[in-house]
Amino acid sequence: FAISIDQELDFILEAANTGRFARAFADDPHIVAPRIYWEWTTPRVLVMEYIDGIPIDDIERLRRVRIDRQQVAERLLRAFLDQIFRFGFFHADPHPGNFLVQRGGRIAFLDFGLAGQISRDEQRTLAELFSATLTEDYERVAALWLDITHAGADVDRPAFQRDLEPI
């Protein structure tokens, strides 16, 4: 918790994370992050571009301006899959307050105080986890989750597997 708080309060780190994300999605017309004004940014002050948009959970406003919510959901999912499987770098605070939807369904990602990196091995494990989930191989799903979380030997693996099946 303390490490996360320190990271969120380090505005140079947040600015760097924002820039890294923006560069990764520079060729994607559907995903955007605020531009950082480095000349005024310090460890205690973060100055960035103002981005206008509708909060992603304001369904009524999205309807009123005729935003295709299915398309937005697909773009958001694609963006997270790209972060995990293409870039190995991801926005680690994905709550509705950190996403704005702009006209045309473009999604603005905000608040990069928490970001993470994922190794190639972790990417492979997650891909295997998705595959096992889609094929309903619950034994493999349970084994992968227990491996990812570094569960101890005292875990009741058969019970864990049974508990995963209805989920």
Side-chain angles (χ1 to χ4, degrees):
F1 182 74
I3 291 169
S4 293
I5 294 296
D6 284 343
Q7 286 178 345
E8 285 208 66
L9 295 176
D10 180 346
F11 292 137
I12 295 292
L13 178 60
E14 182 170 349
N17 290 339
T18 305
R20 182 174 178 186
F21 181 91
R23 285 187 304 279
F25 284 93
D27 294 331
D28 188 329
H30 307 297
I31 305 296
V32 66
R35 178 176 171 252
I36 300 300
Y37 294 97
W38 283 102
E39 60 271 26
W40 297 302
T41 295
T42 71
R44 297 185 55 116
V45 175
L46 176 58
V47 181
M48 67 180 113
E49 165 189 24
Y50 172 78
I51 293 190
D52 193 26
I54 300 169
I56 202 165
D57 61 347
D58 191 338
I59 304 304
E60 187 52 41
R61 280 181 64 196
L62 293 172
R63 265 195 208 119
R64 273 199 314 268
V65 297
R66 293 187 169 91
I67 295 290
D68 182 338
R69 291 176 294 130
Q70 177 70 34
Q71 183 181 63
V72 168
E74 290 171 6
R75 288 175 178 171
L76 189 62
L77 176 60
R78 167 63 64 190
F80 272 99
L81 292 173
D82 283 345
Q83 288 172 70
I84 292 167
F85 294 111
R86 286 183 60 209
F87 307 129
F89 171 78
F90 61 93
H91 185 289
D93 194 12
H95 63 79
N98 285 340
F99 304 102
L100 296 174
V101 181
Q102 299 179 309
R103 297 230 181 251
R106 185 164 87 158
I107 303 166
F109 279 65
L110 308 173
D111 187 1
F112 288 86
L114 290 178
Q117 295 188 79
I118 185 166
S119 70
R120 288 284 181 207
D121 285 341
E122 291 166 328
Q123 287 172 327
R124 281 189 283 278
T125 300
L126 284 174
E128 190 175 345
L129 177 63
F130 288 166
S131 176
T133 301
L134 291 172
T135 60
E136 299 180 7
D137 182 349
Y138 302 118
E139 183 177 346
R140 188 69 186 136
V141 170
L144 287 164
W145 271 118
L146 293 171
D147 183 50
I148 289 168
T149 60
H150 306 289
D154 59 333
V155 171
D156 184 345
R157 291 173 183 268
F160 181 65
Q161 179 181 331
R162 281 191 308 276
D163 290 345
L164 282 176
E165 289 179 26
I167 296 171

